[in-house]
Every structure is written in C-alpha cells, then in structure tokens.
C-alpha cells in the first residue's frame, strides 16, 4: 500500500515527488509513456529561474528526478492503463499489475495533437514528427515544414533552421497565438518562409513509405498547391492524458481536469498537477509549482486521515 502514487514524471510529477519524499511519504512515480514530459522534448530552457545561462530541458528534468530519488522517491517505468477511484485505497493498473494507494497525484500532462490526416499517421517516424528536438537531426540540408501558429511552432521552426536548408511555417490563420518575441525571431530568420491562411490537405507519399511533399490549400483564395518537403513537423498543441479518468474525475470538454480549488479534484485524496489541468500557463515553472501544491495537499490529507 503506497501513501502517494504520482502519475507522470515531468516537472509537475518530479516536483511532487521531491516534496512528498522530503515529507518521508516514500512516493512512487509512474513514469508514463513519455518519461520526463514535455521538457524531455525541448532544447534550451531560458526561463526557469536559477539558470541564468539556460539549461537543457532533458538535463533539468533528469536533475529533478535525481533530487527526488535522493530523498527516497521510487520511479517505475510503465503507464497506468486503468484506475478505480470509486473508493479508497485507490487502485491503479500499471501495465497489467494492480497497485493500491492512499492518495494519488495526477501529473500525466498532455500529449501532442495531430492534424488527423490518414497519411499523417501512416508516415509518423518516416518524415512526420511532433518533436523537432528528437528528429530535427535527420533533416540536415533538407526541406522542412512546420505546422502551427503558437509558441511551439515558432520554437520548432527556429530550432529546425539549425538543420534544414529551408523551413516553411504553415499556419491556418494570419494572426498568431505565439508570443511576440518568438514570432519576431521567426520573422527575422532568413531560413524561414511563413505561409499563412493555409491548411494541409494531404501528405505524400505513403507508397514510397517516406514524406516527399504536401498538398496545401489557401483558405482565403481557395488555391490548392503542392510543396516538396522531406520533414513534416506538427506543432499544434496538446491533448491532456486523462482518458483513464473519464467518468471518475471532473474533466472539461477538452479533457483537462477541472480543479476543485488548490490542487484538489472532485475526488478526495486525488490531486492534480501540471499540464493535465493547466491549459493556460503550461510552463515548466508553473508545472513545478503545481506539483508542489499537490504534494502539500496530499501530505495534509494523509495527516488528517491519521497516516
Ligand atoms: P497553442 O498555443 O495552443 O497553439 C496551437 C497552434 O496550432 C495554434 O496556432 C492553432 O491555430 C494551431 N492548430 C491547432 N489545431 C490545428 C489544426 N487542426 N490544424 C492547423 N492548425 C491547428 O499550442 P502551443 O504552441 O503548443 O503552446 C502551448 C503553450 O505552451 C502556450 O502557452 C505557449 O506559450 C507555451 N510554450 C512556450 C514556449 C516557450 O516559452 N519557450 C514554447 C512552446 C510552448 P489557431 O491559432 O488558428 O487556433
């Protein structure tokens, strides 16, 4: 029987682990299908306080994990595939094996969103990617396309210019969600061509088993045109990892956990932390802050319950 199980090993989960471990609660962290969370897919993080020169995302998240382990947190590979929160102790199915816990911190984050094109799915790993940091290296001297108009798309487009001969940034509107500074960097980068008011209708070429080009459509003029590319990076946001909690935790229409004050969910003893609840800020530092809040609430809850 665990005191605290934390689902997710990103900033939120690791920070919750540091706090609950220091409170001697011996937390168990279930790493999830994307260990390290979003930070493990990013490059230089320049806005996490305490690192004036910046720090690589994967390094930062690994150091958080080490810090939690130093205080006695345990980490387990795997994913929670089923959960029963109907009574305490809560029961979690971790890749086929059920475990029990008095409290649960859900820090399972949010996963990359895809466009939903048939060929997109077929070509993932063969030119289609959602992670510039992971796959950018493969496109040295190649033609790259990035889809999206938020900070992620700007960051990926800029990053990919390190590798690609040229990067086309395709966005469905003229207005950008991206912050001004990130957008300005993209506009100032001579290797980036911006294509606005445009959507992707198809990706080629499944027959060859590799990305060779795309069919695009201008939403204002209706013009349909093709572009030859080698790499296709989708950066259009994320979907919260809450499928296993449907009908158990209160979720909003997009699947994000609805907070019941602080880090509390609608189920007593279950707390939320990070991107799985936060669709507004979604920063490493806010996720860490949320992990801290969830840990303190779990600690107080256990104390009140006499554990
Ligand atoms: P986002 O801000 O939600 O932007 C998603 C973008 O994808 C939007 O431009 C959206 O277009 C477009 N999009 C969504 N669905 C689409 C579809 N089906 N087809 C075509 N385009 C589609 O997501 P994000 O860029 O991942 O950023 C998420 C959060 O993380 C933000 O708060 C951001 O500031 C933060 N972030 C920060 C950094 C940094 O500071 N270094 C880096 C990355 C992310 P519309 O605008 O038309 O809806």
């Amino acid at each position: 029987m665990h005191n605290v199980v934390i689902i997710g090993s990103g900033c939120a989960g690791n920070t919750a682990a540091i706090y609950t471990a220091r409170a001697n609660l011996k937390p168990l962290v279930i790493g999830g299908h994307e260990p390290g969370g979003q930070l493990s897919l990013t490059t230089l993080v320049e806005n996490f306080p305490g690192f004036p020169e910046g720090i690589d995302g994967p390094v930062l998240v690994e150091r958080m994990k080490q810090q939690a382990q130093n205080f006695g947190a345990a980490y387990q590979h795997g994913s929670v595939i089923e959960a029963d929160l109907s009574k305490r102790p809560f029961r979690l199915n971790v890749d086929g094996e059920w475990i029990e816990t008095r409290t649960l911190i859900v820090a399972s984050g949010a996963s990359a969103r895809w466009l939903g094109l048939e060929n997109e799915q077929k070509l993932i790993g063969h030119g289609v990617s959602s992670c510039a940091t992971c796959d950018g290296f493969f496109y040295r001297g190649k033609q790259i396309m990035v889809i999206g108009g938020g900070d992620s798309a700007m960051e990926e487009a800029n990053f990919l210019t390190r590798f690609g001969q040229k990067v086309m940034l395709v966005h469905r509107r003229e207005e950008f969600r991206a912050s001004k500074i990130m957008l300005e960097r993209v506009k100032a980068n001579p290797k980036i061509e911006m294509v606005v008011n445009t959507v992707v209708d198809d990706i080629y070429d499944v027959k060859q088993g590799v990305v060779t080009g795309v069919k695009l459509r201008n939403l204002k003029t209706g013009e349909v045109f093709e572009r030859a590319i080698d790499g296709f990076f989708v950066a259009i946001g994320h979907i919260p990892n809450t499928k296993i909690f449907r009908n158990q935790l209160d979720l909003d229409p997009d699947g994000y956990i609805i907070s019941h004050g602080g880090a509390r969910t609608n189920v007593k003893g279950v707390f939320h932390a990070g991107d799985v609840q936060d669709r507004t800020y979604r920063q490493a530092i806010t996720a860490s802050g949320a992990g801290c809040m969830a840990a303190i609430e779990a600690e107080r809850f256990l104390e009140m319950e006499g554990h």
Side-chain angles (χ1 to χ4, degrees), residues 38 42 44-47 113-116 147-156 170-179 181-182 185 198-200 234-238 256 275 278-284:
Q38 297 298 303
T42 188
L44 194 65
V45 178
E46 294 176 311
N47 50 14
R113 184 188 299 278
W114 297 98
L115 291 174
I147 312 299
D151 280 336
S152 296
M154 303 306 128
E155 193 172 63
E156 300 226 334
V170 175
H171 178 39
R172 63 184 178 186
R173 296 189 295 146
E174 265 168 31
E175 300 77 28
F176 287 84
R177 278 179 208 274
S179 52
I181 183 168
M182 308 267 284
R185 271 185 210 163
T198 298
V199 292
V200 182
V234 183
I236 60 169
H238 293 83
Y256 286 91
D275 289 10
D278 171 21
R279 57 190 303 152
T280 311
Y281 303 105
R282 299 190 275 197
Q283 301 299 300

Side-chain angles (χ1 to χ4, degrees), residues 263-286:
R264 293 184 291 281
T265 69
N266 57 305
V267 177
K268 278 195 177 126
V270 180
F271 306 96
H272 57 72
D275 289 10
V276 74
Q277 180 272 326
D278 171 21
R279 57 190 303 152
T280 311
Y281 303 105
R282 299 190 275 197
Q283 301 299 300
I285 187 67
T286 53

Side-chain angles (χ1 to χ4, degrees), residues 144 156-167 189 191-192:
I144 300 175
E156 300 226 334
N158 254 323
F159 175 72
L160 288 164
T161 58
R162 292 188 199 181
F163 307 101
Q165 192 184 30
K166 189 176 160 196
V167 175
N189 191 325
K191 282 175 100 176
I192 300 178

Side-chain angles (χ1 to χ4, degrees), residues 15-166:
T15 306
I18 292 168
Y19 272 77
T20 49
R22 280 194 85 238
N24 219 12
L25 293 173
K26 300 195 169 13
L28 172 68
V29 182
I30 310 293
H33 62 283
E34 289 171 10
Q38 297 298 303
L39 267 197
S40 65
L41 306 179
T42 188
T43 44
L44 194 65
V45 178
E46 294 176 311
N47 50 14
F48 201 91
F51 300 94
E53 285 84 31
I55 181 166
D56 271 328
V59 174
L60 178 58
V61 80
E62 183 55 33
R63 291 183 66 165
M64 288 183 192
K65 179 180 171 183
Q66 278 168 17
Q67 198 173 344
Q69 285 173 323
N70 288 347
F71 291 114
Y75 281 72
Q76 183 176 330
H77 287 295
S79 300
V80 178
I81 54 176
E82 206 181 337
D84 179 5
L85 309 181
S86 60
K87 57 182 185 301
R88 275 183 272 140
F90 305 120
R91 296 177 69 241
L92 303 169
N93 182 340
V94 185
D95 292 330
E97 194 184 316
W98 286 91
I99 60 169
E100 291 187 339
T101 183
R102 296 188 174 102
T103 63
L104 176 66
I105 295 176
V106 183
S108 48
S111 296
R113 184 188 299 278
W114 297 98
L115 291 174
L117 299 167
E118 200 184 326
N119 288 346
E120 174 188 49
Q121 291 305 306
K122 288 181 180 160
L123 290 167
I124 289 175
H126 303 279
V128 171
S129 170
S130 70
C131 176
T133 323
C134 320
D135 301 326
F137 184 79
F138 301 120
Y139 300 96
R140 277 177 191 280
K142 302 276 173 92
Q143 299 288 328
I144 300 175
M145 183 169 284
V146 176
I147 312 299
D151 280 336
S152 296
M154 303 306 128
E155 193 172 63
E156 300 226 334
N158 254 323
F159 175 72
L160 288 164
T161 58
R162 292 188 199 181
F163 307 101
Q165 192 184 30
K166 189 176 160 196

